[in-house]
């Protein structure tokens, strides 16, 4: 039997087995967490008819959600899990904070989010704390389909990381993973620059002013090529969590003698950013060669012939 953890964090596996031996049955339900527990946009839900409080993690709200079969095999191979959810919040909104989950799913907002599933054991219906729950499945959202009033996710197990091959994608110039290392400051800066959107922006061309580390700084043309912009949460922000690769950057004049930064994006934003409310951080290009500085990959892996 899987290890069961009570609401206080204690191991209740023996207590569950003793209860089953004496009573032959328990009330069961599933708990789902989409995202990280500290993320205000995380989705906490259960297929139980009322909220379930499992103090070890938090409160899970009733939802129309179901999962496929969890397959267990000997070894490290695990089949993906299918999860379908019919969210009740369906209004379309030009803001990430208030948008319907159907809208966010269509935009790919949940791609690669963690999704955890627990099986909860209740000695009395609604009591998720006494015995608690056991881990049933954990993975990352690999595929999303938006159907009529429904989000269908295919979740790959965390064990899929074991199927990644080392060569050649982690070696020197082919190190694509190191190229996407986040929070890489521009040369000469200790932190990544933060910008505030300015009037006139479109979904692909962003006009902005630098807030930090140097207010109103204009970076040289092409400085951000290969990096990416990540929009930040904040009061009245409409694009928090959205990101895109940067195709180019330059400066422009607003016609009144004031210069601003101009940043062109590879992927269009879902809607035009709100001037003065939407802010974003720019991460530079991560070093992919050992000579570039703080290199994150493998500097040298011998050819198989010479390694014998």
């Amino acid at each position: 039997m899987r290890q069961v953890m009570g609401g206080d964090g204690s191991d209740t596996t023996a207590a569950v087995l003793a209860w089953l031996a004496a009573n032959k049955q328990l009330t069961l339900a599933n708990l789902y967490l989409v995202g990280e527990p500290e993320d205000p946009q995380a989705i906490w839900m259960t297929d139980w008819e009322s909220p379930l409080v499992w103090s070890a993690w938090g409160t899970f709200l009733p939802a129309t959600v179901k999962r496929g079969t969890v397959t267990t095999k000997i070894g490290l191979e695990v089949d993906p899990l299918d999860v379908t959810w019919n969210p009740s919040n369906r209004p379309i909104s030009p803001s990430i904070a208030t948008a319907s989950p159907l809208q966010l799913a269509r935009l790919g907002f949940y791609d690669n989010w963690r999704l955890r599933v627990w099986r909860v054991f209740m000695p009395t219906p609604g009591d998720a704390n006494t015995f608690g729950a056991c881990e049933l499945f954990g993975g990352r959202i690999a595929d999303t389909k938006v159907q009529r009033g429904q989000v269908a996710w295919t979740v790959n197990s965390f064990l899929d990381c074991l199927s990644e091959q080392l060569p050649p994608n982690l070696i020197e110039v082919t190190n694509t993973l190191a190229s996407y290392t986040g929070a890489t400051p521009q040369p000469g800066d200790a932190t990544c620059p933060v910008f505030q959107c300015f009037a006139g922006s479109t979904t692909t061309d962003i006009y902005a002013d630098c807030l930090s580390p140097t207010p109103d700084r204009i970076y040289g043309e092409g400085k951000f090529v290969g990096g990416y912009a990540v929009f930040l949460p904040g009061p009245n922000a409409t694009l928090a969590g959205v990101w895109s690769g940067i195709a180019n950057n330059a400066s422009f004049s607003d016609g009144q003698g004031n210069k601003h930064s101009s940043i062109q994006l590879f992927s269009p934003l879902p809607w035009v950013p709100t001037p003065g409310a939407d802010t974003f951080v720019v991460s530079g290009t991560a070093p992919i060669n050992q000579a570039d500085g703080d290199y994150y990959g493998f500097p040298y892996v011998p050819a198989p012939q010479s390694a014998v």
Side-chain angles (χ1 to χ4, degrees), residues 18-305:
W19 177 278
L20 288 172
N23 299 278
K24 308 302 183 185
Q25 64 180 9
L26 269 172
T27 303
L28 304 176
N30 294 298
L31 306 177
Y32 301 83
L33 172 58
V34 184
E36 302 303 321
E38 65 274 10
D39 186 351
Q41 290 189 295
I43 304 167
W44 302 72
M45 54 187 174
T46 178
D47 52 12
W48 189 247
E49 60 188 13
S50 60
L52 292 179
V53 178
W54 182 32
S55 298
W57 280 79
T59 301
F60 298 80
L61 303 178
T64 305
V65 58
K66 62 181 180 179
R67 60 172 176 82
T69 302
V70 177
T71 303
T72 302
K73 299 180 180 180
I74 297 176
L76 298 177
E77 182 181 358
V78 177
D79 288 338
L81 179 69
D82 294 324
V83 176
T84 57
W85 173 36
N86 295 76
S88 58
N89 174 22
R90 299 184 181 182
I92 303 300
S93 169
S95 172
I96 294 295
T98 58
S100 164
L102 294 171
Q103 183 181 3
L104 295 178
R106 180 181 61 82
L107 296 172
F109 187 75
Y110 301 115
D111 292 354
N112 294 317
W113 276 36
R114 294 185 185 184
L115 193 153
R116 303 172 176 89
V117 185
W118 294 273
R119 191 69 159 166
V120 62
F121 303 92
M122 298 182 285
T124 58
D127 177 11
N129 254 338
T130 300
F131 288 155
C134 67
E135 295 180 346
L136 188 62
F137 190 88
R140 295 177 178 85
I141 296 175
D143 184 55
T144 301
K145 294 181 180 179
V146 180
Q147 302 167 354
R148 188 171 184 178
Q150 182 182 85
V151 179
W153 285 315
T154 299
V155 186
N156 286 346
S157 166
F158 290 137
L159 288 176
D160 67 355
C161 65
L162 299 178
S163 64
E164 292 186 10
Q165 302 297 313
L166 177 58
N169 292 334
L170 288 180
I171 303 173
E172 284 291 345
V173 294
T174 59
N175 188 348
T176 56
L177 295 181
S179 300
Y180 288 93
T181 300
T184 302
Q186 300 301 316
D189 289 344
T191 59
C192 293
V194 177
F195 291 84
Q196 183 178 68
C197 293
F198 185 75
S201 298
T202 68
T203 57
T204 54
D205 294 309
I206 308 300
Y207 298 150
D209 295 315
C210 186
L211 297 179
S212 67
T214 305
D216 299 324
R217 176 180 177 181
I218 304 295
Y219 287 81
E221 184 173 353
K223 187 75 171 180
F224 298 154
V225 173
Y228 47 95
V230 181
F231 282 81
L232 303 172
N236 303 317
T238 66
L239 289 165
V242 176
W243 68 278
S244 176
I246 297 176
N248 197 13
N249 72 283
S251 65
F252 84 100
S253 177
D254 60 10
Q256 298 179 355
N258 301 313
K259 285 191 173 182
H260 308 272
S261 295
S262 172
I263 299 176
Q264 293 80 50
L265 305 178
F266 278 116
S267 302
L269 303 173
W271 44 76
V272 175
T274 302
D278 280 313
T279 59
F280 60 93
V281 61
V282 171
S283 178
T285 304
I288 62 173
N289 294 285
Q290 193 173 16
D292 293 338
D294 295 327
Y295 175 65
Y296 297 100
F298 290 82
Y300 174 69
V301 175
Q305 297 87 341

